[in-house]
Amino acid sequence: MVSKIALFQLVVPATAFCLLPPLPPPVPAAAVSASLTVLLCAGSPGERAHKKALSEEEHARKKALFELQRASSSGDVERILADHQPQSLKEWNMGISAFGRCRDWKSALSLFEEVRATKGLAPDVYSFSAAISACEKGGQWEQALSLLHAMPS
């Protein structure tokens, strides 16, 4: 039985590789990076500035959400929410959860009520769950039970 390597050596002699054209020289990484930058930044100066502003705003929002997950006191949560007003239900829910982790059930319920009062937003199962959890951590079982009964089925 002939191995695959031996068969390859029989079918393709070594001289065949000498007939291939030489490879082009490698392209420097800086040239590739510059080409990508030109492609990614295409558009008018106004469009580029708008994209940059959006990315900076998006970066700041993501940083604030990360800080909200790591907040260890109600004061930290209040500061983060004051600096970056929640814009989506997910961000509101993260605020409610953050207050719950800090065992500040009153602030969590206050934020939950803000969600209810905000036009165009309605608390979802995550909102209720975060508020109920905050009440549980604060020893407020009556409030937690009240929220459970108010949760839509």
Side-chain angles (χ1 to χ4, degrees):
M1 178 109 177
V2 178
S3 72
K4 290 181 182 179
I5 295 174
L7 185 59
F8 181 77
Q9 289 173 343
L10 287 173
V11 175
V12 183
T15 55
F17 291 107
C18 296
L19 301 175
L20 294 174
L23 293 173
V27 178
V32 173
S33 177
S35 299
L36 286 175
T37 303
V38 168
L39 288 174
L40 293 175
C41 293
S44 69
E47 287 175 295
R48 288 192 299 268
H50 179 69
K51 285 179 185 177
K52 183 178 179 183
L54 280 180
S55 65
E56 287 175 3
E57 181 180 320
E58 185 178 321
H59 177 70
R61 181 155 303 285
K62 285 181 180 182
K63 182 180 177 193
L65 294 177
F66 180 77
E67 289 176 1
L68 201 55
Q69 290 175 329
R70 303 289 183 249
S72 59
S73 72
S74 293
D76 291 343
V77 176
E78 289 172 1
R79 179 190 51 78
I80 294 165
L81 292 175
D83 291 345
H84 301 280
Q85 179 66 28
Q87 294 183 352
S88 68
L89 187 56
K90 178 182 176 182
E91 293 173 6
W92 285 98
N93 292 344
M94 289 178 72
I96 297 168
S97 292
F99 278 125
R101 279 192 311 276
C102 297
R103 305 201 183 294
D104 187 352
W105 64 273
K106 288 181 181 178
S107 296
L109 287 184
S110 175
L111 203 58
F112 179 80
E113 291 304 322
E114 272 189 66
V115 171
R116 282 184 157 171
T118 301
K119 188 176 180 178
L121 280 181
D124 63 2
V125 68
Y126 298 107
S127 310
F128 277 94
S129 178
I132 290 169
S133 178
C135 290
E136 179 267 327
K137 289 175 183 168
Q140 301 297 313
W141 65 269
E142 299 94 350
Q143 285 284 13
L145 194 57
S146 172
L147 286 168
L148 185 61
H149 289 299
M151 186 187 291
S153 51

